[in-house]
Amino acid sequence: MPLDKSVLAQAPTVMRDFLFYMETIKGRSPRTVDSYFIDLRTFFRFLKLHKGLIAADVSFDDISIDDVDIDFIRSVTLSDVYEFMYFITKERGNNATTRARKVSCLKSFFKYLTVNANLLEQNPIKDLEIPAIKKSMPKYLTLEESFELLNHVVDDGYYERDFCILTLFLNCGMRLSELVGIDLGDLSDNTVRITGKGNKERIVYLNRACLDAIENYKAVRSRNLTDIKDKDALFLSRLGTRISRRRVQQIVERTLQNTGLSNQGLSTHKLRHTAATLMYQYGGVDIRVLSEILGHEHVSTTEIYTHVSNKQMEEASAKSPLSGVKPPKRKTVPKVKSQKDDNDDNEE
């Protein structure tokens, strides 16, 4: 899916070239490139406001950036970026994760201008650090909750499809975009070819549960559909088009609610956490293999999924070679007479 033309129409030339570069050369997904556009637009709107180039009666969201050119960008300093970070923190309430994403976008943009396009001689933000993000334990379903989730899929005429979606999430650790993008032609024997971040393809092996769920769904895939518009897509909507990301989210949210788990902050991505956690805890999957399954570029990224359960920590403690040592019975130590005691005896 190419970039949205309406997005490109709003971008100045230097920014448009960067977006094309990120999509065609770096292989970023259209969704990621769209986020680059939004972050850069916010940055340039702030700069024009910060430098007093906007009338007082113009709202922030109405500030046009179509006149931004390389000369304007050359005026950017590290101090301007610090002011921008303060603005998005205090005025727009961006959390650490969102701020880190914006900094990453700016660093990619200025690196492109300096290294790839040779439009800048020096990178003014090369020393800009990405904000630290608090690392928290990921939320996931327990094994028992996972069984309960599969047992509470709503039967509204699309039971086989929805059950198959949840089964793939819980067994394969797919991202939402990866699942939605599966074509019938991607299935081969006991594998599926999926396209992950950066348009990188990988092969994921399907276990018996996944194969059975897919076969059951394919047998009724065209049921209730008078016209299939997207014949290649594995998962179809009620209209015969490829199922949307939002519809899959609604299916997961509804099933979580039906299971009584809707108040735990769970989502489609948390099912990815669940799959990785269950493979690690119950399947003894090596972290390097788990990294390949999840499509991570670096093993370090996978470590967030390999947290250990309280049960594992209890078992690890029990396996200590000293775990069987028992405290000895207390020995009675004979009292040693002191010189003072001898003197006391003599006095008697």
Side-chain angles (χ1 to χ4, degrees):
M1 183 176 64
L3 279 172
D4 189 341
K5 291 183 178 180
S6 63
V7 169
L8 295 176
Q10 301 176 55
T13 301
V14 65
M15 185 170 149
R16 190 181 311 138
D17 291 343
F18 166 72
L19 298 177
F20 274 129
Y21 170 80
M22 296 305 291
E23 182 185 34
T24 59
I25 305 301
K26 301 297 287 183
R28 301 294 187 263
S29 70
R31 186 166 177 264
T32 299
V33 177
D34 283 347
S35 71
Y36 285 151
F37 165 75
I38 293 172
D39 291 342
L40 288 174
R41 182 180 63 184
T42 302
F43 177 62
F44 289 134
R45 282 174 172 173
F46 165 78
L47 285 180
K48 294 183 73 173
L49 181 67
H50 179 61
K51 294 177 181 294
L53 304 177
I54 301 300
D57 59 343
V58 177
S59 68
F60 186 84
D61 291 338
D62 292 332
I63 297 176
S64 172
I65 63 168
D66 57 7
D67 57 343
V68 170
D69 56 18
I70 193 61
D71 290 330
F72 178 82
I73 295 173
R74 283 196 184 98
S75 69
V76 175
T77 65
L78 185 57
S79 178
D80 291 332
V81 179
Y82 286 146
E83 291 284 354
F84 173 66
M85 299 303 295
Y86 182 85
F87 170 76
I88 61 176
T89 303
K90 300 299 182 181
E91 299 296 327
R92 299 182 74 84
N94 289 177
N95 58 30
T97 301
T98 303
R99 296 198 302 272
R101 190 198 69 212
K102 284 181 166 59
V103 168
S104 179
C105 171
L106 290 177
K107 289 178 76 69
S108 295
F109 179 62
F110 278 94
K111 180 182 178 182
Y112 161 79
L113 295 176
T114 309
V115 177
N116 303 104
N118 294 317
L119 294 174
L120 293 179
E121 293 183 359
Q122 293 185 347
N123 185 343
I125 66 168
K126 64 179 181 179
D127 296 326
L128 180 64
E129 297 180 0
I130 296 179
I133 301 176
K134 180 182 178 182
K135 293 184 179 181
S136 56
M137 297 288 278
K139 295 181 180 179
Y140 63 96
L141 297 176
T142 64
L143 180 60
E144 293 74 18
E145 289 171 338
S146 299
F147 281 126
E148 283 296 304
L149 188 71
L150 293 172
N151 288 331
H152 284 80
V153 177
V154 179
D155 189 358
D156 60 352
Y158 294 88
Y159 174 84
E160 292 84 0
R161 180 198 66 184
D162 297 352
F163 182 87
C164 186
I165 286 173
L166 290 168
T167 299
L168 291 183
F169 271 139
L170 290 171
N171 283 274
C172 302
M174 295 178 183
R175 299 180 178 93
L176 174 58
S177 59
E178 294 171 347
L179 181 135
V180 169
I182 296 176
D183 289 335
L184 290 171
D186 294 329
L187 298 169
S188 177
D189 296 327
N190 65 334
T191 65
V192 58
R193 182 179 65 248
I194 57 180
T195 304
K197 285 187 175 181
N199 289 325
K200 294 179 180 178
E201 291 186 350
R202 71 182 187 277
I203 299 297
V204 172
Y205 284 84
L206 303 170
N207 59 26
R208 189 73 260 163
C210 294
L211 292 172
D212 289 344
I214 290 172
E215 286 305 310
N216 288 341
Y217 166 58
K218 286 171 65 177
V220 299
R221 178 171 170 269
S222 59
R223 185 181 64 190
N224 301 332
L225 298 178
T226 57
D227 179 28
I228 298 181
K229 301 178 179 62
D230 196 336
K231 293 180 172 58
D232 293 330
L234 173 61
F235 294 112
L236 298 172
S237 69
R238 297 172 186 267
L239 301 176
T241 58
R242 183 184 299 275
I243 197 168
S244 68
R245 295 164 56 93
R246 182 55 194 146
R247 181 59 191 142
V248 173
Q249 290 173 331
Q250 290 172 340
I251 292 169
V252 172
E253 289 166 0
R254 180 179 63 177
T255 312
L256 285 168
Q257 184 175 11
N258 201 33
T259 314
L261 299 170
S262 58
N263 62 342
Q264 296 187 21
L266 298 166
S267 64
T268 55
H269 197 69
K270 300 305 182 292
L271 299 188
R272 175 169 159 87
H273 285 300
T274 299
T277 302
L278 296 182
M279 279 187 276
Y280 183 75
Q281 290 186 359
Y282 293 91
V285 179
D286 182 84
I287 186 173
R288 292 178 294 253
V289 176
L290 190 59
S291 181
E292 290 291 331
I293 294 173
L294 297 174
H296 286 159
E297 187 172 351
H298 303 290
V299 174
S300 59
T301 309
T302 316
E303 291 176 352
I304 188 175
Y305 297 96
T306 58
H307 54 281
V308 291
S309 65
N310 290 337
K311 182 179 179 181
Q312 283 179 301
M313 289 189 286
E314 181 181 357
E315 290 175 350
S317 177
K319 290 179 181 179
S320 169
L322 299 177
S323 63
V325 175
K326 297 181 179 180
K329 293 183 179 179
R330 185 175 180 181
K331 296 179 180 179
T332 303
V333 180
K335 184 177 180 182
V336 179
K337 269 192 169 186
S338 65
Q339 185 65 40
K340 184 178 182 297
D341 292 333
D342 291 338
N343 293 337
D344 290 342
D345 291 341
N346 293 334
E347 287 179 0
E348 290 177 358

